[in-house]
Amino acid sequence: MIILFRFLDSNKRVLKKLEKLALDVLALEDEYKQLSDEELQAKTEVFKKRLETESLDDLLVEAFATVREASTRVLKMTPFKVQVMGAVAIHQGNIAEMKTGEGKTLTAVMPAYLNALSGLGVHIVTVNDYLARREAEGEIGDLFRWLGLSVGMNHRELSADEKREVYKCDVIYSTNNELGFDYLRDHMVVYKEKIVQRNLNFAIIDEVDSILIDEARTPLIISGGERNTAELYKHANYFVIRLKDEEDYEIDIKTKSITLTEEGIRKAEAHFNLENLYDVNHVVLLHHINNALRANYIMEKDVDYVVQDGKVVIVDAFTGRLMHGRQFSEGLHQALEAKEAVEIKKETTTLATITFQNFFRMYSKLSGMTGTAKTEEEEFREIYNMDVVVIPTNMPVVRIDDNDLIFASIEAKYKALAEEITRRYKLGQPQLIGTVSIESSELLSRLLKKNGVKHDVLNAKQHEREAEIVANAGQKFAVTIATNMAGRGTDIKLGEGVVELGGLAVIGTERHESRRIDNQLRGRSGRQGDPGYSRFFLSADDDLLRRFGSDRFKRMIEMVNGKGDNKDAPLDFKMFSKLVLRAQRQIEGNNYDRRKTVLQYDEVLKKQRDIIYQQRTDVLFKDTIEESIDQMIFATIERIVFQHKGNFEEMSKAIHNFFGPKLVDLGILKTENDQYQYLIDIYQRDKAHKKELVGEKVFNDFLKSITLRVVDTHWVQHIDAMSELRQAVRLQSYGQNNPFREYQEVGFSMFESMVLNIQSDVTRYVLRAEVRQNTERVQVAKPVSTYSGKEDENTKRKPVTKSDTIGRNDPCPCGSGKKYKHCHGRNG
């Protein structure tokens, strides 16, 4: 109880401050009414100029007053005091909880206008394209444009060039999905001119609870599609098994690594019809060859892995146990499958992935608005650093919220529901029927058809007709069956004569596992002081109650009703409603824990992603990356010298592998006291020679092309490896191990290994590849589908666009530029 009072006091104190600022805004109303349209519109440029010496907070009162007066003139709507209070809360980076019908859309215009004055861009995030288009191209967009700001609408169908123009706008309307996908795609481009997004400055998220809570367990994934690379693995394996020991490849026992000798390289070039295996265009092919070498000559069957039921299964090196569900990373598993002639798994190439939690936390300032957020305040504060401010309604809520009716059986519930809806329909009262599932909405629809009740059914599919149906749901005789979330963002206005009938009646067919969603449904009725009614019909057979002791509920109902003719009568005791509330709170707590776990795991990948994305950004935007390439090569040379100190034969093999046979005089190297410095000097001379041949610019483009190709190749494979690791560590909990700690430790080790591999590959290519005048950067894998992949492993991923596979006439993935059938498709 003490905590509740603290919360009430805290919210009261915040509201007092907001109200003071809102009253200051309203006090300018008469003064701004005297301004001409031109004078009012000129305020925008005046504010921009003042920002050179003042802050956004300094301009808040005048900017909001400008928007209020502009709205009065353009939209014929003047924001109320409570809307101004909500606007201030949003500007301050918090969530404004405003009931349905309180005008959240217009409220968002004030903080969006103020923050857009900085020129850094404001993103207004909606739950679907329809709502984004409605605001950007409708009256709200007109209001921004009247004030001299540019407005854009970002959607999937736009080309990269069109998106780039949209992101230059002062205010952008977009869905959360499209913003996230654009961010990921921007970190896959190979030229900085291809980037579409600007900085992530300020986001206002409409229906913030839906996007940041309900969708928080759904990572965004960009996929290169399932690649039919089985043939490439087979061809690499076919080549490798015909090589001769010592003559064609060398094994470093200490590091368990294997490389082709000069003779092996010559044979590879002849077999695959290439001029230079180490050309930057053959990264993918070389990677497959290296994996085939490791699979055949390093990995041992029944030691490192076993073949069981036609599958390659890893053997734990420490315990000797089979590690079902685990997979060797970076294509090694597929190489082993090729070696053992079992079915080669298709590679589901995840090119990029991010959770909404981590994406939206990258904004400099984040805010939101919704009708229901207070129940999740702890999560908003802990994860997003946003407080929830409950804004009072403009007019008192007079809606009647009746106690839940609880039935012993689902049949009794639906019979009573149909009778209640039919009774109100005959009176002409509009009704919104909220269901939890598509099945229940269709069952109820069949019952209403039998009763002759005309109705619309919305199964939560986001389309334009949905908003249209919901908008008309307040007319006489309108009966709308909708999943609880349908139609968010659209006001239900009452038709003529409906007030006298008691306003809109909202009937819930069962309780959702989240109180917030029930409140959202209930809040569709009773907007702006309108009358309204709400009630939920429950049964002991509902999913929610089944999870918390359905039999107990049935016994309690039987105790009250008995088993005679009265057995189907409902109960509406508050005690039962409290039990339901307790069940909801428990499930909300469980769901919060699961979302925190998702974030916890993604934090590990986020740190790695930040490093890789920063490296890519440096490559794209820096004039020269010579210094960072030098550091990579110095580190690789130091590693070679250190690992093979005292074993000149092994060192010379490694040197040959990186430098080739011509650059290093092994006789001199053997007598050198400082072998590291000798190799560095050779590299510096080779670099100077290449720069002299092609010039500074071409050489730098060559370095950038190599780095991007190598980094992207390894990063794409690392993402998949981390995904496999996460699936595997779930099994650790059965062995009393901490799965997250295992994920952290193994993931860190895998990342370190990847970084070393990137350094080694960059070194090898810089030293061995020929510099061409027309070095063109090529994406390692182009995205062909984007989807939100459910965190739950039982949920199928649904592509938004069709994934591509490699056909016989498609370009070969080895990068040779030839068609697949001519390069690697000889047998198929």
Side-chain angles (χ1 to χ4, degrees):
M1 188 61 75
I2 293 169
I3 294 169
L4 176 64
F5 282 130
R6 274 186 196 151
F7 148 65
L8 291 172
D9 288 345
S10 166
N11 201 67
K12 222 173 185 178
R13 283 196 300 272
V14 171
L15 289 178
K16 267 193 171 180
K17 291 176 183 175
L18 297 183
E19 186 177 29
K20 183 180 180 304
L21 281 168
L23 289 172
D24 289 343
V25 173
L26 268 60
L28 294 176
E29 184 174 328
D30 291 339
E31 179 187 331
Y32 279 47
K33 277 192 188 304
Q34 306 305 314
L35 299 174
S36 67
D37 285 357
E38 292 73 21
E39 288 172 321
L40 193 63
Q41 289 169 317
K43 288 277 186 186
T44 299
E45 288 307 315
V46 172
F47 292 147
K48 286 180 179 179
K49 186 73 179 165
R50 284 174 56 187
L51 273 178
E52 294 172 11
T53 55
E54 297 178 68
S55 69
L56 289 174
D57 288 345
D58 294 332
L59 302 180
L60 185 147
V61 171
E62 294 165 81
F64 282 16
T66 300
V67 174
R68 276 190 89 236
E69 182 55 32
S71 177
T72 305
R73 298 183 192 188
V74 177
L75 307 182
K76 306 293 184 263
M77 291 189 290
T78 306
F80 303 121
K81 180 183 78 173
V82 290
Q83 285 174 294
V84 179
M85 290 168 65
V88 176
I90 290 168
H91 165 70
Q92 291 174 346
N94 293 314
I95 294 168
E97 179 177 290
M98 300 173 70
K99 302 301 178 197
T100 303
E102 290 295 303
K104 291 190 286 290
T105 305
L106 186 54
T107 297
V109 174
M110 289 176 271
Y113 170 78
L114 174 61
N115 284 268
L117 295 171
S118 67
L120 298 175
V122 173
H123 296 171
I124 300 180
V125 188
T126 65
V127 289
N128 60 51
D129 272 339
Y130 168 74
L131 294 173
R133 192 183 303 279
R134 184 187 73 181
E135 310 308 347
E137 297 175 2
E139 290 183 331
I140 297 295
D142 291 341
L143 177 55
F144 281 119
R145 286 183 280 270
W146 192 88
L147 285 163
L149 297 182
S150 54
V151 183
M153 192 266 173
N154 178 36
H155 57 92
R156 280 185 55 229
E157 287 72 28
L158 295 179
S159 67
D161 290 338
E162 289 168 329
K163 278 180 175 285
R164 204 169 298 110
E165 289 307 307
V166 166
Y167 276 108
K168 288 177 185 174
C169 291
D170 297 310
V171 178
I172 302 151
Y173 282 88
S174 178
T175 63
N176 46 314
N177 279 3
E178 205 53 31
L179 287 170
F181 285 136
D182 285 342
Y183 170 79
L184 292 176
R185 282 188 286 255
D186 274 355
H187 286 87
M188 294 166 63
V189 300
V190 290
Y191 290 99
K192 65 182 179 184
E193 293 77 17
K194 300 287 185 185
I195 291 173
V196 300
Q197 276 187 348
R198 293 196 290 164
N199 46 311
L200 301 175
N201 173 45
F202 178 43
I204 302 172
I205 305 177
D206 192 13
E207 308 299 356
V208 66
D209 54 325
S210 173
I211 290 170
L212 294 188
I213 302 291
D214 300 326
E215 297 192 40
R217 285 177 54 233
T218 308
L220 290 174
I221 297 169
I222 290 185
S223 170
E226 285 193 338
R227 294 183 294 141
N228 283 336
T229 50
E231 288 303 314
L232 198 47
Y233 280 107
K234 287 176 186 175
H235 283 301
N237 190 70
Y238 179 83
F239 162 70
V240 160
I241 60 176
R242 281 158 178 75
L243 296 176
K244 294 177 182 174
D245 188 11
E246 293 183 0
E247 182 183 317
D248 297 326
Y249 59 86
E250 294 169 342
I251 296 175
D252 187 330
I253 309 260
K254 188 185 285 185
T255 60
K256 270 199 164 186
S257 61
I258 182 169
T259 53
L260 291 172
T261 62
E262 288 303 314
E263 181 59 22
I265 292 168
R266 189 192 62 73
K267 286 183 178 177
E269 289 168 347
H271 180 84
F272 292 101
N273 195 22
L274 309 172
E275 287 185 17
N276 180 2
L277 178 62
Y278 287 91
D279 189 288
V280 70
N281 286 324
H282 306 319
V283 171
V284 176
L285 173 61
L286 183 59
H287 192 73
H288 280 75
I289 292 171
N290 286 337
N291 271 330
L293 285 167
R294 285 190 67 199
N296 281 279
Y297 304 120
I298 299 287
M299 307 296 288
E300 291 184 57
K301 185 178 178 181
D302 297 330
V303 176
D304 298 303
Y305 68 94
V306 297
V307 178
Q308 193 177 80
D309 300 325
K311 293 178 182 175
V312 170
V313 183
I314 299 176
V315 176
D316 189 312
F318 298 101
T319 65
R321 289 179 181 155
L322 299 185
M323 303 173 74
H324 291 283
R326 281 287 285 273
Q327 193 169 314
F328 290 112
S329 63
E330 299 195 348
L332 178 58
H333 209 90
Q334 283 84 355
L336 286 166
E337 288 165 338
K339 169 190 174 183
E340 298 298 339
V342 299
E343 183 186 353
I344 299 173
K345 292 176 188 171
K346 284 184 179 178
E347 291 181 277
T348 53
T349 314
T350 299
L351 304 183
T353 179
I354 195 170
T355 60
F356 283 126
Q357 293 156 310
N358 271 326
F359 172 67
F360 280 110
R361 293 197 308 175
M362 287 190 290
Y363 277 85
S364 302
K365 183 163 69 173
L366 186 63
S367 67
M369 50 191 183
T370 182
T372 45
K374 202 67 189 179
T375 56
E376 317 290 349
E377 181 169 35
E378 181 191 348
E379 185 165 352
F380 280 122
R381 187 181 292 129
E382 189 173 326
I383 292 177
Y384 302 104
N385 195 29
M386 291 190 288
D387 287 324
V388 177
V389 182
V390 181
I391 306 295
T393 54
N394 185 47
M395 298 176 72
V397 177
V398 295
R399 182 186 64 241
I400 297 166
D401 296 327
D402 265 351
N403 288 338
D404 297 351
L405 288 181
I406 303 179
F407 297 80
S409 70
I410 202 159
E411 293 81 11
K413 179 182 82 169
Y414 274 99
K415 183 184 171 191
L417 267 167
E419 288 172 358
E420 174 72 359
I421 294 165
T422 304
R423 182 182 71 78
R424 290 181 183 271
Y425 173 73
K426 287 176 179 174
L427 296 172
Q429 185 177 20
Q431 299 171 78
L432 178 66
I433 319 300
T435 64
V436 169
S437 67
I438 292 172
E439 291 80 3
S440 57
S441 67
E442 289 173 347
L443 169 60
L444 188 57
S445 176
R446 287 194 294 272
L447 291 173
L448 293 184
K449 278 176 185 171
K450 283 183 185 173
N451 289 3
V453 176
K454 287 184 180 176
H455 60 279
D456 284 303
V457 180
L458 289 173
N459 289 336
K461 293 170 185 167
Q462 303 289 2
H463 52 70
E464 296 191 19
R465 180 156 157 69
E466 176 187 303
E468 177 194 326
I469 291 171
V470 173
N472 293 321
Q475 304 301 312
K476 265 190 177 181
F477 296 100
V479 176
T480 310
I481 301 175
T483 51
N484 289 354
M485 301 298 286
R488 288 186 71 158
T490 306
D491 272 352
I492 299 176
K493 294 178 183 174
L494 301 186
E496 199 175 321
V498 171
V499 169
E500 291 75 17
L501 295 170
L504 175 70
V506 169
I507 310 289
T509 61
E510 61 186 279
R511 285 282 190 176
H512 196 276
E513 60 182 39
S514 166
R515 289 171 293 160
R516 183 170 43 79
I517 295 177
D518 289 340
N519 292 341
Q520 183 75 32
L521 176 66
R522 185 166 256 159
R524 312 295 305 179
S525 174
R527 61 180 290 283
Q528 285 294 332
D530 286 339
Y533 174 84
S534 76
R535 178 168 240 171
F536 285 86
F537 285 58
L538 316 180
S539 86
D541 294 325
D542 290 350
D543 285 345
L544 179 73
L545 300 191
R546 269 213 312 268
R547 288 165 69 178
F548 286 88
S550 168
D551 292 338
R552 185 162 58 98
F553 274 102
K554 282 187 176 177
R555 282 197 301 272
M556 291 168 78
I557 293 168
E558 283 173 2
M559 280 173 59
V560 177
N561 287 346
K563 295 186 179 180
D565 295 339
N566 204 37
K567 71 180 190 307
D568 286 344
L571 299 179
D572 68 349
F573 296 150
K574 268 196 174 176
M575 178 187 72
F576 286 92
S577 294
K578 282 181 181 175
L579 288 172
V580 172
L581 198 63
R582 193 181 304 157
Q584 286 178 309
R585 283 199 181 114
Q586 193 169 333
I587 291 173
E588 285 168 2
N590 293 343
N591 288 342
Y592 178 32
D593 289 342
R594 290 176 73 181
R595 287 191 294 269
K596 276 179 74 174
T597 301
V598 171
L599 182 61
Q600 192 181 32
Y601 277 89
D602 195 54
E603 279 294 301
V604 176
L605 193 59
K606 176 190 180 295
K607 288 170 185 170
Q608 299 175 1
R609 181 171 52 234
D610 288 347
I611 292 168
I612 294 297
Y613 280 7
Q614 186 56 54
Q615 187 173 18
R616 289 190 99 263
T617 301
D618 289 345
V619 172
L620 293 179
F621 284 89
K622 284 187 175 179
D623 292 334
T624 174
I625 59 164
E626 196 175 314
E627 187 180 334
S628 60
I629 295 294
D630 284 349
Q631 288 171 358
M632 284 192 201
I633 292 175
F634 294 167
T636 305
I637 292 173
E638 185 177 24
R639 205 158 50 247
I640 294 168
V641 173
F642 177 77
Q643 284 178 345
H644 300 287
K645 208 144 188 82
N647 189 337
F648 185 74
E649 186 181 340
E650 292 296 329
M651 184 190 293
S652 60
K653 287 178 183 178
I655 295 299
H656 258 178
N657 177 247
F658 281 95
F659 283 81
K662 299 171 186 174
L663 279 179
V664 181
D665 186 323
L666 294 177
I668 296 175
L669 178 68
K670 192 169 188 176
T671 60
E672 279 290 325
N673 288 329
D674 192 343
Q675 293 169 323
Y676 167 75
Q677 190 57 50
Y678 173 70
L679 293 171
I680 293 293
D681 291 342
I682 288 175
Y683 157 62
Q684 296 285 21
R685 285 199 298 273
D686 180 62
K687 180 176 72 170
H689 174 65
K690 285 174 177 171
K691 281 164 75 173
E692 190 179 335
L693 276 177
V694 296
E696 194 90 37
K697 184 183 182 305
V698 171
F699 183 72
N700 196 51
D701 279 347
F702 160 75
L703 295 181
K704 288 188 173 190
S705 181
I706 282 174
T707 307
L708 288 172
R709 184 69 72 94
V710 170
V711 167
D712 289 351
T713 298
H714 283 281
W715 176 242
V716 165
Q717 289 156 347
H718 181 73
I719 292 172
D720 271 344
M722 290 294 284
S723 177
E724 293 290 341
L725 174 65
R726 177 154 182 207
Q727 298 296 324
V729 296
R730 289 179 178 180
L731 302 174
Q732 298 291 325
S733 55
Y734 297 116
Q736 306 301 311
N737 292 329
N738 183 323
F740 177 65
R741 189 176 300 132
E742 176 90 354
Y743 180 78
Q744 264 184 319
E745 290 171 1
V746 177
F748 178 72
S749 173
M750 285 164 58
F751 184 73
E752 276 195 320
S753 175
M754 181 192 70
V755 170
L756 294 181
N757 288 336
I758 287 172
Q759 288 179 352
S760 295
D761 282 1
V762 167
T763 300
R764 195 175 286 112
Y765 285 117
V766 170
L767 289 168
R768 300 193 66 142
E770 292 176 17
V771 186
R772 295 204 219 108
Q773 289 285 348
N774 60 342
T775 304
E776 187 179 344
R777 304 176 206 168
V778 182
Q779 276 185 290
V780 168
K782 293 179 182 177
V784 296
S785 67
T786 54
Y787 54 91
S788 299
K790 295 293 182 187
E791 181 268 337
D792 189 336
E793 66 274 16
N794 298 319
T795 308
K796 267 194 173 182
R797 294 173 172 174
K798 295 180 181 177
V800 174
T801 57
K802 188 180 177 184
S803 295
D804 288 347
T805 54
I806 299 172
R808 286 166 52 79
N809 291 311
D810 291 336
C812 181
C814 77
S816 64
K818 297 179 182 179
K819 289 183 178 177
Y820 183 73
K821 66 180 179 182
H822 293 312
C823 190
H824 295 107
R826 295 186 183 92
N827 300 325

